[in-house]
Amino acid sequence: MNISFVSYEVDPFAKVGGLADVAGTLPKYIKKYTDQLNIIMPFHKVAEKNIKSKGYLLEKVAENLYPFSHSFKYSFSVFKSFLPDTDIPVYLIKNEELFSTDDVYEYPHKEHQTTYFSDAVISFIKNYLPETNLLHLNDWQTALIPVYLKTNYRDDDVLSKIATVFTIHNLGYQGIFPPDILSIAGLPGYLYNIDALEFFGQINFLKGGILFSDIINTVSKTYAEEIQTEEYGYKLDGVLKVRNNDLYGIINGVDYEKINPETDKNIPYNFSKENLENKYKNKLSLQKELGLPENKNIPVISFIGRIVEQKGIDLIADILDYLTLLDVQVIILGTGEERFEKQLKEFQNKYNNRLSINIRFDIKLAQLIYAGSDMFLMPSRYEPCGLGQMYSMRYGTIPIVRYTGGLADTVKEFNCEKNIGNGFGFYNYHSSDLLVAILKALNIYYRKPECWKNVVLNAMNSNFSWDKSAEEYIHLYKRALAKKV
Ligand SMILES: Nc1ncnc2c1ncn2[C@@H]1O[C@H](COP(=O)(O)OP(=O)(O)O[C@H]2O[C@H](CO)[C@@H](O)[C@H](O)[C@H]2O)[C@@H](O)[C@H]1O
């Protein structure tokens, strides 16, 4: 198998959320099953900064290339780096006009940027990587690649042989734009059709990915089922049902080398199951760093994530007045929608010694929060997989989740008598249900310390390695390739 993995975010080059973690880790695990594997991403400004500051190798491998169909006649060049500590090449596609913003998703005309990138990837493959026989695509930004392949390039001797696997990391982001994007992208006008890319008078990129890829998957089994219902389908449930025979769910894993309390360089005290005292030293460091009273007995309840509706921020905001009545400390780290950021900042002034609101992106602080907290909130409205709950468990921090999508597949309700389970949760999307789930955890934390220790150990013993999921991806690749013969 000769695979190119295409993603808009790849950790540690450019990260906004969980997509970067997956794109920066999964390739390491599928590598052993493949002949050739590389990653292709845009050369965002932030990637350039990270490569320079971290001293990664960078060389130009191609210049003056052009996309074949796109109406923008800018040329692009391609740079090569490597996924750190591996021999996996990362190809970065550079164009000054389109990748000029500081952050990954800042460019105002994303439809121009993503279509240009998609067609440029194809042109680069045809010219420099013609042995490629499978493209693993991720999210709406890359969803038109299979559309180009099955329309404009269906008779091309190299490109027509390429199979596609398309992973949906989040159905909530679809890439919906006015119909004139088809002519800008150089795609045929007949795609403006209900059986193709048309979507309520617009063009929907994700719909293109769903209909034109050989195989589709999402990042947990439960979410793969949920998105075929009206409640979670974001108006694409019907389209997903049409592709039901080719739709799979594969749970994400955790990079056990990077997300490891025994070796993590971002935390002051490394620890393991055998040495949990150090976890509580991290708790004191965390409290100190955020200006909260330093006390290792007070339960610290945290949230890290994008501050958007998906993550259940409204439920957290609803209960903060009640939660702060209790002897707890609450820490929030994230960035996102302004209305939520503003609302959270207002709470900060009310409850200074119980609450720490941090509106920023800060990887080092995130690791200290995973390590130094007792409980980790993920009351998501929907959650394709979720990584925070798995990271927190690695550090003995107990997830409190809404049982939906990947959260339902990775968190099991703790039962103190039987000593089974690794977290706590609730089902209905109601703030009172979230509050009750937190109270269940606090009850055990305060009144049954032996049980609390057990749930901490159960969480740390949970297995979220990528090995099994990587094997499942290989099966999907084989299925996709079988469609080409
Ligand atoms: N302010 C901040 N500072 C530092 N770090 C921060 C941060 N905000 C977020 N992060 C980090 O970003 C990652 C978020 O990952 P998630 O999987 O939880 O969410 P996301 O919704 O972005 O991903 C989508 O894609 C992934 C990958 O498939 C799915 O797991 C998920 O369900 C889906 O919504 C974690 O590594 C977290 O620590």
Side-chain angles (χ1 to χ4, degrees):
M1 273 186 245
N2 292 305
I3 301 175
S4 286
F5 190 97
V6 189
S7 172
Y8 242 56
E9 298 177 39
V10 181
D11 186 59
F13 299 94
K15 169 164 169 168
V16 177
L19 170 62
D21 298 42
V22 174
T25 314
L26 173 61
K28 291 194 236 173
Y29 288 79
I30 50 182
K31 167 83 185 155
K32 63 179 175 197
Y33 301 97
T34 57
D35 305 312
Q36 173 214 281
L37 172 70
N38 55 61
I39 299 173
I40 306 179
M41 67 181 293
F43 204 169
H44 305 290
K45 279 260 150 59
V46 62
E48 206 164 336
K49 271 190 213 146
N50 283 330
I51 289 171
K52 277 195 187 129
S53 73
K54 290 172 183 159
Y56 298 148
L57 179 138
L58 184 70
E59 58 170 326
K60 194 188 259 185
V61 291
E63 60 186 346
N64 283 326
L65 290 176
Y66 289 87
F68 298 131
S69 303
H70 207 280
S71 64
F72 287 1
K73 294 302 169 206
Y74 313 128
S75 70
F76 68 92
S77 45
V78 183
F79 288 74
K80 180 180 176 181
S81 188
F82 288 91
L83 208 55
D85 307 319
T86 75
D87 58 358
I88 301 172
V90 178
Y91 294 109
L92 300 118
I93 297 207
K94 180 163 178 154
N95 172 272
E96 289 299 346
E97 282 79 10
L98 291 162
F99 297 104
S100 53
T101 57
D102 278 339
D103 286 320
V104 176
Y105 299 115
E106 256 180 7
Y107 191 73
H109 287 287
K110 293 185 184 60
E111 71 279 30
H112 298 165
Q113 193 195 49
T114 54
T115 49
Y116 181 92
F117 173 72
S118 296
D119 202 19
V121 167
I122 293 171
S123 160
F124 175 58
I125 284 175
K126 164 103 175 158
N127 284 300
Y128 282 81
L129 305 167
E131 65 287 9
T132 305
N133 62 355
L134 189 131
L135 288 179
H136 185 160
L137 310 163
N138 296 277
D139 278 350
W140 73 263
Q141 295 83 1
T142 61
L144 290 191
I145 291 179
V147 179
Y148 278 111
L149 290 177
K150 286 208 172 135
T151 56
N152 293 8
Y153 312 132
R154 66 169 186 257
D155 297 324
D156 183 277
D157 54 342
V158 172
L159 301 173
S160 61
K161 297 194 183 77
I162 298 179
T164 49
V165 170
F166 179 57
T167 301
I168 301 169
H169 294 265
N170 196 331
L171 195 69
Y173 301 87
Q174 301 184 352
I176 299 169
F177 301 102
D180 67 350
I181 187 58
L182 286 180
S183 64
I184 295 169
L187 282 166
Y190 64 73
L191 291 170
Y192 185 68
N193 171 329
I194 192 162
D195 293 321
L197 272 59
E198 191 273 341
F199 183 78
F200 300 100
Q202 306 268 78
I203 290 293
N204 184 322
F205 286 24
L206 198 81
K207 185 179 175 192
I210 294 168
L211 287 175
F212 284 76
S213 301
D214 294 309
I215 294 285
I216 313 140
N217 82 294
T218 182
V219 286
S220 69
K221 292 210 165 21
T222 297
Y223 192 60
E225 296 297 322
E226 285 173 343
I227 55 178
Q228 296 178 62
T229 65
E230 204 181 330
E231 187 184 352
Y232 291 92
Y234 275 91
K235 298 197 161 58
L236 284 177
D237 39 306
V239 180
L240 286 156
K241 271 195 221 140
V242 168
R243 295 296 319 267
N244 176 288
N245 281 340
D246 295 313
L247 172 62
Y248 297 85
I250 301 181
I251 195 84
N252 290 330
V254 169
D255 187 339
Y256 270 21
E257 281 158 34
K258 215 188 281 170
I259 307 292
N260 183 350
E262 295 184 46
T263 53
D264 192 334
K265 291 195 178 66
N266 286 311
I267 59 175
Y269 302 98
N270 289 118
F271 64 99
S272 66
K273 283 174 286 189
E274 286 72 41
N275 175 17
L276 279 172
E277 307 82 65
N278 270 6
K279 173 172 173 62
Y280 300 104
K281 289 189 190 159
N282 287 313
K283 180 169 172 178
L284 294 172
S285 303
L286 173 64
Q287 291 167 325
K288 185 166 181 201
E289 173 146 348
L290 298 180
L292 291 167
E294 289 164 57
N295 179 341
K296 83 180 173 59
N297 297 320
I298 293 186
V300 172
I301 307 173
S302 300
F303 170 91
I304 303 172
R306 293 178 298 109
I307 303 203
V308 295
E309 207 175 77
Q310 175 197 347
K311 300 291 177 183
I313 298 295
D314 51 336
L315 297 192
I316 296 179
D318 271 356
I319 63 163
L320 274 180
D321 280 324
Y322 307 104
L323 201 53
T324 43
L325 286 173
L326 306 170
D327 201 11
V328 300
Q329 294 175 349
V330 180
I331 297 172
I332 291 177
L333 170 65
T335 56
E337 282 179 48
E338 214 178 308
R339 61 182 169 132
F340 289 130
E341 290 183 355
K342 195 164 157 263
Q343 191 181 15
L344 290 173
K345 278 190 212 146
E346 280 162 15
F347 280 106
Q348 178 68 80
N349 304 329
K350 286 208 271 181
Y351 307 116
N352 256 333
N353 64 344
R354 288 219 192 283
L355 190 60
S356 171
I357 305 285
N358 305 277
I359 305 293
R360 60 179 192 270
F361 193 87
D362 185 338
I363 288 180
K364 200 170 161 67
L365 178 60
Q367 292 312 112
L368 184 58
I369 293 175
Y370 286 125
S373 306
D374 297 290
M375 297 163 203
F376 189 80
L377 297 181
M378 277 186 89
S380 306
R381 189 178 281 274
Y382 71 93
E383 195 60 74
C385 173
L387 298 170
Q389 83 280 14
M390 297 194 270
Y391 293 171
S392 67
M393 283 192 257
R394 275 288 270 168
Y395 290 81
T397 298
I398 303 308
I400 299 173
V401 305
R402 174 158 176 261
Y403 290 124
T404 181
L407 297 170
D409 293 358
T410 53
V411 179
K412 301 293 162 205
E413 184 78 14
F414 179 62
N415 179 316
C416 181
E417 283 68 43
K418 295 187 184 151
N419 189 21
I420 48 171
N422 53 12
F424 298 90
F426 62 103
Y427 289 90
N428 293 325
Y429 193 78
H430 288 146
S431 45
S432 50
D433 292 33
L434 167 62
L435 191 58
V436 169
I438 296 173
L439 291 174
K440 278 192 291 187
L442 286 174
N443 180 41
I444 291 184
Y445 181 91
Y446 275 124
R447 300 200 174 124
K448 298 178 182 168
E450 274 315 302
C451 281
W452 187 259
K453 190 160 181 212
N454 284 340
V455 69
V456 168
L457 293 177
N458 291 355
M460 292 180 90
N461 284 329
S462 304
N463 181 1
F464 302 116
S465 100
W466 265 111
D467 292 314
K468 190 165 163 283
S469 298
E471 276 175 26
E472 289 182 41
Y473 272 106
I474 296 297
H475 286 302
L476 289 201
Y477 297 163
K478 286 184 181 156
R479 284 204 177 97
L481 288 167
K483 291 192 173 218
K484 288 282 147 189
V485 287

